[in-house]
C-alpha cells in the first residue's frame, strides 16, 4: 500500500529587517542637504530675534537666551522700510509684466513661425542670457546720465526687463514647442487670428510656464543690487537690497547685525509668500515636458 508523501513545508526564512539601510542613508543625506541649505536662513532669523548682548557674546550664542522684536521695531522706526518694499515691488512687478508681454509673443514667433535667420536669433538670445551683466554697467551708467533717468524708476525697469526677456523667450519657446499643432490648425479653421489664438487658446495652456518665468523674473529684479545702488540715490526711491546694505548703527564703529538680519528677513518674506502661493504652478512649470507621454 503506497503512502502519499506530503509536500515538505517550505523552510521559514529569517524575517527580513523592515529597516532598509539604503533608505536610511537617503534620509540622512536629504536631511543633511536641507540643514546645509537652510542653516544660513535659520541663522539670520535667529539673529533677528537676539538681543545685542547675545549677538556680541563670546563664545557664540546660537539659540537666543531672550527673544526680542526690538530690531524689527528699529528698522521701521529709523528708516522708511515700507517705502523701500513698495519701490522694490513696483520695479519688480512692472519689469516682470513687461517681460511676459514682450517675451511671450517673441517666444511664440520663434517656436511656430518660420523666420529668416531663426537659428541666429536663438543663438543671440542664448548668448545674451549667459552674458555677465556686470560688463554692461559702465555703458548703462552713461546712458542713464545722457537720458537723465537717474533717480527714476525707469532707470531700473528698462535694464531689468532687457536682462530678463531672453530667459522668458527661451522658457516660453520650449513650452510652445510642446503644444500640439492640431490645436492651432483647428483654431485657424474656426477663423481665429494669430493674436486671438495666442490669447484665448495657447496662453491658458501655458499658465505654469508663465507663472514660473514670472516668478524667476520677479525674484531677479527684487534682489538686484548694483544697478539699484548706482542709478537710484534718492532716499525715498531706494530698494530693499540697497536699504539693507546701507543700514548703519548708532555710531560710526557699530555694525547693526541684528537690524540687518531683521531687514533681511523682512525683505525675504514677500518672496517666500509668493513661492508658497504658486508652489503647485511652479512645480508644474519646471516639470512639464520632462517626460513625453
Amino acid at each position: 500500500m503506497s503512502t502519499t508523501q506530503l509536500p515538505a513545508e517550505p523552510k521559514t526564512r529569517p524575517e527580513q529587517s523592515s529597516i532598509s539601510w539604503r533608505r536610511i542613508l537617503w534620509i540622512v543625506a536629504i536631511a543633511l542637504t536641507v540643514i546645509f541649505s537652510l542653516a544660513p536662513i535659520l541663522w539670520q532669523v535667529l539673529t533677528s530675534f537676539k538681543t545685542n548682548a547675545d549677538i556680541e557674546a563670546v563664545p557664540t550664542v546660537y539659540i537666543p537666551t531672550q527673544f526680542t522684536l526690538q530690531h524689527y521695531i528699529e528698522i521701521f522706526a529709523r528708516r522708511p522700510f515700507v517705502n523701500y518694499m513698495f519701490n522694490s515691488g513696483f520695479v519688480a512687478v512692472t519689469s516682470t509684466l513687461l517681460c511676459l508681454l514682450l517675451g511671450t509673443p517673441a517666444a511664440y514667433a520663434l517656436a511656430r513661425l518660420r523666420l529668416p535667420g531663426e537659428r541666429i536669433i536663438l543663438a543671440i538670445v542664448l548668448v545674451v542670457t549667459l552674458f555677465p551683466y556686470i560688463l554692461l554697467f559702465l555703458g548703462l551708467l552713461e546712458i542713464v546720465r545722457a537720458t537723465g533717468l537717474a533717480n527714476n524708476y525707469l532707470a531700473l525697469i528698462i535694464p531689468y526687463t532687457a536682462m530678463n526677456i531672453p530667459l522668458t523667450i527661451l522658457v516660453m519657446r520650449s513650452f510652445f514647442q510642446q503644444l500640439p499643432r492640431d490645436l492651432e490648425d483647428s483654431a485657424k479653421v474656426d477663423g481665429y487670428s494669430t493674436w486671438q489664438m495666442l490669447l484665448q487658446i495657447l496662453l491658458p495652456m501655458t499658465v505654469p510656464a508663465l507663472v514660473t518665468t514670472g516668478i524667476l523674473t520677479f525674484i531677479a529684479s527684487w534682489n538686484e543690487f548694483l544697478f539699484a545702488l548706482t542709478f537710484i540715490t534718492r532716499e525715498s526711491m531706494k530698494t530693499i537690497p540697497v536699504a539693507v546694505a546701507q543700514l548703519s548703527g548708532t555710531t560710526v564703529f557699530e555694525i547693526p547685525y541684528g537690524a540687518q538680519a531683521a531687514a533681511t528677513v523682512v525683505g525675504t518674506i514677500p518672496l517666500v509668500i509668493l513661492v508658497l502661493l504658486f508652489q503647485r504652478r511652479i512645480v508644474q512649470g519646471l516639470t512639464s515636458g520632462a517626460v513625453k507621454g
Side-chain angles (χ1 to χ4, degrees), residues 127-196:
V127 169
V128 172
T129 304
L130 302 176
F131 194 81
Y133 298 113
I134 187 65
L135 299 180
L136 303 175
F137 172 71
L138 292 179
L140 287 175
L141 182 59
E142 293 298 326
I143 293 175
V144 169
R145 287 178 177 175
T147 56
L149 288 178
N151 291 321
N152 191 311
Y153 289 126
L154 290 177
L156 299 181
I157 293 173
I158 294 175
Y160 292 171
T161 304
M163 290 187 297
N164 292 313
I165 274 185
L167 176 64
T168 305
I169 292 175
L170 291 178
V171 174
M172 294 303 301
R173 177 178 177 272
S174 65
F175 273 83
F176 283 129
Q177 287 181 323
Q178 294 164 12
L179 297 179
R181 290 181 177 270
D182 296 340
L183 292 173
E184 300 169 54
D185 295 337
S186 301
K188 290 179 181 178
V189 171
D190 292 337
Y192 281 83
S193 64
T194 301
W195 282 104
Q196 290 175 334

Side-chain angles (χ1 to χ4, degrees), residues 1 3 22 48 83-84 98 121 125 129 141 150 155 158 164-165 183 185 210 214 217 229 248 257-258 288-289:
M1 185 174 180
T3 58
R22 180 176 296 180
S48 68
N83 196 22
Y84 298 150
L98 287 176
I121 296 174
V125 171
T129 304
L141 182 59
I158 294 175
N164 292 313
I165 274 185
L183 292 173
D185 295 337
L210 290 172
T217 303
L229 174 66
S248 58
Y257 293 110
S288 180

Side-chain angles (χ1 to χ4, degrees), residues 211-212 215 273-283:
V211 172
T212 303
I215 289 180
I273 295 175
L274 186 66
V275 172
L276 291 178
L277 288 177
F278 296 99
Q279 180 180 6
R280 185 172 300 178
R281 293 292 187 181
I282 295 173
V283 174

